[in-house]
Amino acid sequence: MIKSLTATLMASTLAVSSLAAPAVRAQAPVPEPLPVGTCINMGNSLEPETENAWGGKRISAADFKRIRAAGFDTIRLPVRWHTKSKNEAPYTVSPSYMKRVEQVVDWALAADLNVILNSHHFDPIYEDPKGTAAWHGGVWKQIAATFADRPEDRLWFELENEPHKNLDDSNLLETLAPALAAVRATNPTRAVIIGGEEWSGIDSLATLELPDDVNIHPTFHYYSPFDFTHQGASWTGDAMPPVGRQYGGSGDAKLLAQDVAKLRAYIERTGHTPFMGETGAYEAHIPLAQRVQYHAAVTEAFAPTGIGICVWAYTNTYPFWDQETRKWLPGLRGAIGLPDDSVAPQPAAQPAAQNSQGPLLNPDLPEALRAIDGQLAGALMNDPSRLDWDTYGDQFKARGYADASIPGGQAALAFTVKKARENFSVGASIPLLGDIKQGDTMTVGFFARAIKADTADGKGRIGVRFQQNSAPYPGFGDTTISPDSEWGWYEVTATANRDISKQLAIVTLQFGEAKQTVEVGQTIVVKGVHSIVD
């Protein structure tokens, strides 16, 4: 059994702070970083099926003059091509649509802006990568030929926005190969941009591989924490975070620092310097002051790396420019380092992590756990001295053991999964000792390592979910962490989107995604704070 909470907190701090820097992989030559500078996306204009169908503004030449005068260096132009092209050879793109894209690109170039021209929402490629690759490549053949005479140093091609679903690391380069070959036939040295799987999030850099081409550049998108940036965003479907999440706590700062470290690790490992192709926060439910605060924090945190950052977006969703007032929204340009003489709104005071009586406490805890509860910033929601959790599934084995080398409580559970299926097919349920209310901040932290894993990167896969333990098993906070072979401390934070009574409240750890042996040690669940170990 686990004995010492103090030892756990000390060991977890060491696990986070003493991670060794990855070795540099020899790779020559590598490209100079793209001179993206400060960039803005032309969102909700050409990536809907019809121009500005989602409430965006029809682009005019005046927009680019305004953007350049504000100090931006680059625009990113998202374009939906699959609805404007035939799905059979020669995959002809509508001539009138190609002319419209040409017009927009030429307006931006004439305004002295760099242009990132991409393929955005080429929906069939996410469902059937192999079957769509030729169509996608045929479209890029026409794009590349059309723009071959534009200046290489100012117009760049991004082959596909945010690979996801069935388009992943296992088939990404193979799927994009026809498009890349088509581009290289007419643009042999133009910059080409590729982003990784899972919507090109920061974690995609860890496994992103690039073709052997000095003029290919990596990109990633940054919307962390998702439960803040996408709160109330209906297009996220069942994953929609509830409204009310504020930004700026210690957990947010810690997450930013960890993500900057991931970027630095990628640069050191590969020699490639990516740029941030998208970042922003949804304005419908987030006050402007919080959006300003978020952009300032992201810009400040990543600035020392020297990467270019492309904000989402010019107008409509996540807007910087207000269509109604015909003014830049106050504070946003200053937040990303541009000249800004407007007065930024001030954010509301953050709720305190402690109440007037001291630390947040859980009144439902048994007496034996109250001393531990008092040592934590949040309210303790489980018994950290127990590993006798309920497990479920088949094709797996679970074994508990004790060893002085295990950080925290010197005990762990080893899960061996014999066959990869859905991640929820094998799991363990951690009972909680208190109610969850909608809007509560919930954090779970645990030690873990992977003994072996049949995955592309050799790391384990553990799904984490706060859940109601009754059909249809609703939950929130779905996150996958990837432990490596060394013990490390991992945390997942989420905002509750429902009430769950203490009789039914659990945290599930899910292991079925990979054939693997992973170990989980002492686990702590708290309510009311974004981080257990600061």
Side-chain angles (χ1 to χ4, degrees):
M1 302 299 286
I2 297 174
K3 299 177 182 178
S4 169
L5 177 72
T6 303
T8 299
L9 298 180
M10 291 176 62
S12 63
T13 301
L14 289 172
V16 171
S17 63
S18 63
L19 289 174
V24 178
R25 184 179 65 183
Q27 186 178 24
V30 295
E32 292 294 321
L34 277 176
V36 172
T38 305
C39 168
I40 196 163
N41 279 273
M42 305 303 291
N44 294 160
S45 293
L46 294 177
E47 87 273 15
E49 291 190 18
T50 57
E51 188 166 349
N52 60 287
W54 299 338
K57 177 186 178 299
R58 184 174 173 84
I59 297 172
S60 69
D63 293 311
F64 298 119
K65 294 176 182 177
R66 180 183 300 119
I67 288 168
R68 189 70 185 98
F72 289 94
D73 305 293
T74 304
I75 63 103
R76 181 170 178 260
L77 185 62
V79 180
R80 183 188 291 258
W81 296 98
H82 94 268
T83 59
K84 296 296 187 293
S85 58
K86 302 292 186 181
N87 62 1
E88 296 180 352
Y91 312 108
T92 304
V93 176
S94 162
S96 62
Y97 190 68
M98 185 67 83
K99 286 291 184 183
R100 172 60 177 159
V101 176
E102 275 193 274
Q103 181 183 49
V104 172
V105 169
D106 288 341
W107 280 341
L109 293 173
D112 195 28
L113 288 162
N114 304 319
V115 178
I116 300 167
L117 176 60
N118 84 355
S119 171
H120 211 92
H121 297 307
F122 206 103
D123 295 339
I125 206 167
Y126 312 129
E127 300 290 340
D128 181 14
K130 183 177 180 180
T132 310
W135 177 10
H136 184 256
V139 168
W140 268 107
K141 179 180 180 180
Q142 297 165 75
I143 301 169
T146 299
F147 292 98
D149 62 347
R150 271 56 168 200
E152 282 195 353
D153 61 339
R154 295 179 49 223
L155 174 62
W156 313 315
F157 295 157
E158 184 177 354
L159 296 183
E160 188 56 42
N161 177 71
E162 293 185 345
H164 61 276
K165 202 169 184 179
N166 297 325
L167 181 58
D168 57 25
D169 281 348
S170 70
N171 55 30
L172 179 64
L173 297 188
E174 178 184 6
T175 302
L176 297 181
L180 180 59
V183 168
R184 286 292 174 250
T186 52
N187 296 256
T189 56
R190 189 179 299 277
V192 170
I193 297 159
I194 294 178
E197 65 179 5
E198 293 296 334
W199 310 90
S200 299
I202 184 78
D203 290 332
S204 69
L205 292 177
T207 55
L208 177 62
E209 298 293 336
L210 298 177
D212 185 14
D213 183 327
V214 73
N215 292 304
I216 288 182
H217 302 260
T219 188
F220 70 100
H221 292 179
Y222 196 77
Y223 290 106
S224 299
F226 185 83
D227 63 342
F228 169 74
T229 63
H230 282 69
Q231 56 187 283
S234 60
W235 64 86
T236 62
D238 292 341
M240 182 181 73
V243 173
R245 164 74 150 92
Q246 290 193 318
Y247 185 79
S250 60
D252 294 331
K254 179 180 178 181
L255 177 63
L256 255 181
Q258 291 172 339
D259 289 341
V260 171
K262 292 174 184 177
L263 173 65
R264 291 189 182 279
Y266 175 81
I267 295 172
E268 184 173 0
R269 176 173 64 85
T270 67
H272 290 268
T273 299
F275 73 95
M276 188 185 296
E278 292 182 17
T279 186
Y282 183 37
E283 83 288 353
H285 304 288
I286 301 175
L288 178 58
Q290 280 269 286
R291 294 182 61 219
V292 169
Q293 185 176 356
Y294 177 76
H295 276 289
V298 171
T299 301
E300 181 179 358
F302 283 94
T305 69
I307 66 167
I309 296 178
C310 202
V311 297
W312 190 281
Y314 172 55
T315 192
N316 196 32
T317 53
Y318 302 60
F320 272 58
W321 169 261
D322 189 322
Q323 295 184 48
E324 295 184 2
T325 65
R326 298 191 58 77
K327 293 181 179 179
W328 293 101
L329 286 164
L332 284 173
R333 287 174 298 157
I336 62 174
L338 294 180
D340 190 351
D341 57 4
S342 63
V343 178
Q346 295 302 305
Q350 292 288 312
Q354 297 185 348
N355 58 33
S356 59
Q357 284 74 45
L360 294 171
L361 300 174
N362 181 359
D364 296 320
L365 286 179
E367 187 67 34
L369 296 177
R370 295 198 175 168
I372 297 176
D373 195 12
Q375 297 180 50
L376 295 165
L380 181 64
M381 293 288 284
N382 74 314
D383 185 345
S385 69
R386 296 182 59 178
L387 288 174
D388 55 342
W389 306 325
D390 289 337
T391 59
Y392 59 88
D394 55 18
Q395 298 291 314
F396 86 103
K397 291 183 179 180
R399 176 181 68 89
Y401 75 102
D403 190 290
S405 66
I406 301 172
Q410 290 76 54
L413 283 176
F415 292 84
T416 299
V417 180
K418 299 178 181 178
K419 182 179 179 181
R421 290 178 295 179
E422 299 87 355
N423 68 342
F424 57 78
S425 64
V426 174
S429 300
I430 304 166
L432 300 189
L433 303 175
D435 296 332
I436 296 175
K437 298 295 185 183
Q438 184 172 347
D440 281 345
T441 298
M442 301 295 300
T443 298
V444 56
F446 54 90
F447 289 101
R449 68 174 176 177
I451 303 302
K452 59 181 179 179
D454 188 10
T455 57
D457 58 7
K459 296 182 180 181
R461 298 289 188 268
I462 302 176
V464 182
R465 191 171 200 257
F466 299 90
Q467 184 172 293
Q468 177 176 304
N469 195 22
S470 64
Y473 304 100
F476 59 93
D478 296 76
T479 304
T480 299
I481 64 103
S482 300
D484 57 25
S485 59
E486 300 294 328
W487 282 108
W489 175 256
Y490 299 89
E491 292 188 4
V492 172
T493 298
T495 302
N497 61 4
R498 65 187 65 244
D499 293 347
I500 305 177
S501 70
K502 64 181 178 181
Q503 292 82 9
L504 297 175
I506 61 173
V507 171
T508 62
L509 302 181
Q510 302 169 337
F511 307 97
E513 181 180 336
K515 182 180 179 181
Q516 61 181 338
T517 296
V518 292
E519 296 183 345
V520 177
Q522 187 172 46
T523 300
I524 300 171
V525 185
V526 298
K527 178 167 70 174
V529 293
H530 290 90
S531 181
I532 298 168
V533 180
D534 286 322

